[in-house]
Amino acid sequence: MDRSQKEATIAALNLELQSAALVVVTKQSGMTVAEVTDLRRKMRAAGASFKVTKNRLARIALKGTQFEKTEDLFKGPTAIAWSKDPVAAAKVAIDYAKTNDKFKVIGGGLGSTVLNTQGVEALSKLPSLNELRASLLGMIQTPATRIAGVLQAPGGQVARVLAAYAKKDEAA
């Protein structure tokens, strides 16, 4: 990689990290290309990104972002995952680490806070933004559904009573 390619890589990664809410730093020693591709596919499906980078380039790309404090995590064969959703990258990384022994979560950053492995794991157990939105929408719609049911119930009861009297008169 020549100097101009390194500068382009650093600039692109810095731009991505500027808009990210979460960064997860991982070790992926000994993973095959198929495994890394599978992980990238899962990250993309969750709205996150995953990139194997040189530590020196990643540290430079972190400068000027809210994740500057995480640069101490970049030692050895590392990779970085990030997402705009503060939970997405953590969920995928922790789930993947459970199924693949070659992949480990070292830590991460949520805003300017540095997270250890347990912090990233705790974050992965939280519901994602989409799950929270769906839950909130369900809560908002539930009262409206109940109101409609209550309003329709008296009319239904009257109809059932009239139907019962009609059947009673026919039987007599």
Side-chain angles (χ1 to χ4, degrees):
M1 197 184 269
D2 68 356
R3 187 176 182 90
S4 63
Q5 289 175 320
K6 288 178 183 177
E7 289 173 356
T9 301
I10 291 169
L13 186 56
N14 182 279
L15 185 64
E16 289 284 332
L17 294 176
Q18 292 279 345
S19 63
L22 172 72
V23 166
V24 179
V25 182
T26 64
K27 282 193 187 280
Q28 79 297 342
S29 183
M31 285 179 63
T32 65
V33 173
E35 290 171 330
V36 173
T37 303
D38 181 46
L39 176 59
R40 280 192 179 114
R41 193 174 295 124
K42 289 179 181 180
M43 286 280 186
R44 211 170 325 163
S49 299
F50 180 79
K51 185 172 183 84
V52 177
T53 62
K54 290 187 173 190
N55 292 338
R56 191 170 52 80
L57 298 180
R59 285 188 197 119
I60 295 169
L62 288 171
K63 300 261 188 252
T65 68
Q66 57 189 347
F67 307 110
E68 274 187 79
K69 295 178 185 175
T70 62
E71 69 182 42
D72 295 338
L73 298 173
F74 290 90
K75 293 181 177 113
T78 59
I80 186 170
W82 66 92
S83 63
K84 292 180 181 177
D85 182 345
V87 178
K91 274 186 187 288
V92 176
I94 293 295
D95 288 345
Y96 197 80
K98 289 177 184 175
T99 61
N100 191 331
D101 294 336
K102 301 173 195 169
F103 184 77
K104 293 186 179 14
V105 175
I106 302 170
L110 179 64
S112 60
T113 306
V114 177
L115 303 171
N116 59 11
T117 306
Q118 292 81 14
V120 175
E121 191 170 339
L123 190 62
S124 74
K125 294 176 182 171
L126 295 174
S128 69
L129 281 177
N130 287 338
E131 290 169 348
L132 286 173
R133 287 178 183 139
S135 174
L136 183 62
L137 188 61
M139 284 187 226
I140 291 170
Q141 287 181 337
T142 299
T145 306
R146 287 186 182 158
I147 290 171
V150 167
L151 292 176
Q152 290 176 350
Q157 288 175 346
V158 169
R160 283 190 291 276
V161 169
L162 292 175
Y165 278 120
K167 286 183 183 177
K168 185 179 176 184
D169 288 341
E170 288 175 10

